[in-house]
Amino acid sequence: MTDPSFVRQRHVTDGRDLAYPPLPEALTVPVYDNHTHLEMSDGDEPLDYREHLDRASSVGVRGVVQVGNDVETSRWSAETAAIEPRMLAAVALHPNDAPDYAERGELDDALAVIAELAGRPRVRAVGETGLDFYRTEEGPRREAQFRSFEAHIEIAKQNDIALQIHDRDAHADVVATLKRVGAPERTVFHCFSGDVELARICADNGWYMSFAGTVTFKNAPKLREALASAPRHLIMVETDAPFLTPTPYRGRPNAPYLIPHTLRAMAEIIGTDASTLAAQITSNTELVYGRWDSEPVGPPPTTPIGIIA
């Protein structure tokens, strides 16, 4: 039987440092990690989701939104959040996975699974969904991304839950789709990657912007300018773990317990103190997803999560 703690293994790049960074100084005011992938194994000594959450709690990260990318990881996210009080779930087909489902003739069935999962307790978002043109050229695969994105928007609205957007090299088309179809009341640009202009568009529409470790990278001045221009009541913080580890540990495995590095960098960019920013982000996050303790968790399952008995 497979280890229920992990569904995926991160690809190991030659020469990458696989040691988890040390614990940072704890935050005085706690925050939430808006977007993480704890189902994915990484590092020379992989941490399961309970170890991740224990470390996060010790440094002032109160809870996480665990995000699915396909049917399997979305199911794992929903089932794990159902038994873990420090976790809420988001479920979706990633825009890079949706075309694969379409080519196999399975997109409608996969979307039906996402729609069912979206109605479960402690599933508070549909995501990550959106458009990714970095690897996808014009043609049928890009058309499948649009079809999937629009279906996810409707699922979020039908369940009155948030939408977490993946937007890579597709800003104009993501914005146009949201305006054409009608964005959910609570819409979040995960790992915000735009400039001041996209930040202005988000602000004008009341869309949230979630910043990851990329805001600490030396080659991201436009991202820092966007953060500085964004209304504070519309910003969040995330890891996108195990990816996008913040400076000074870029390239090493990422985890929710490293949020303090990103939050403190954000506070410096904005020109405020970390505690004030943490309080604002915590309020923003709970407005989008609700409280982590508003629904009870259930007992551990008799069979491993994600495994059919």
Side-chain angles (χ1 to χ4, degrees), residues 142-155:
R142 192 172 289 193
E143 292 169 8
Q145 285 195 5
F146 277 102
R147 179 182 163 203
S148 178
F149 185 24
E150 293 180 19
H152 281 84
I153 292 171
E154 292 305 319
I155 292 170

Side-chain angles (χ1 to χ4, degrees), residues 49-213:
Y49 73 89
R50 290 151 293 206
E51 294 172 305
H52 275 299
L53 294 172
D54 287 346
R55 287 192 179 191
S57 297
S58 74
V59 297
V61 180
R62 180 180 288 168
V64 305
V65 180
Q66 160 63 33
V67 180
N69 280 335
D70 56 18
V71 166
E72 187 177 13
T73 56
S74 291
R75 183 175 287 117
W76 186 94
S77 300
E79 292 180 356
T80 306
I83 63 169
E84 173 51 64
R86 297 167 292 181
M87 181 186 291
L88 297 178
V91 297
L93 310 177
H94 192 284
N96 287 332
D97 289 315
D100 295 333
Y101 283 104
E103 289 175 356
R104 297 194 299 266
E106 299 173 356
L107 182 55
D108 287 339
D109 289 342
L111 288 168
V113 174
I114 297 303
E116 185 275 323
L117 293 172
R120 293 193 185 184
R122 301 184 64 77
V123 175
R124 303 283 181 81
V126 171
E128 57 188 287
T129 181
L131 301 173
D132 188 325
F133 295 165
Y134 179 70
R135 295 186 179 90
T136 307
E137 303 294 334
E138 291 278 4
R141 288 184 63 83
R142 192 172 289 193
E143 292 169 8
Q145 285 195 5
F146 277 102
R147 179 182 163 203
S148 178
F149 185 24
E150 293 180 19
H152 281 84
I153 292 171
E154 292 305 319
I155 292 170
K157 291 193 289 190
Q158 289 165 7
N159 289 276
D160 190 24
I161 57 178
L163 182 75
Q164 278 209 19
I165 291 174
H166 173 104
D167 165 23
R168 187 171 188 186
D169 293 355
H171 301 326
D173 287 281
V174 167
V175 169
T177 302
L178 289 171
K179 290 184 174 181
R180 175 170 48 81
V181 178
E185 181 180 351
R186 299 176 301 283
T187 294
V188 183
F189 278 66
H190 132 69
C191 192
F192 183 85
S193 59
D195 55 11
V196 170
E197 175 60 18
L198 183 59
R200 182 194 62 77
I201 292 170
C202 288
D204 289 347
N205 288 276
W207 299 335
Y208 292 81
M209 294 158 270
S210 181
F211 291 85

Side-chain angles (χ1 to χ4, degrees), residues 233-249:
H233 71 280
L234 292 176
I235 62 175
M236 294 182 182
V237 65
E238 67 175 73
T239 57
D240 198 19
F243 311 102
L244 306 181
T245 313
T247 304
Y249 301 108

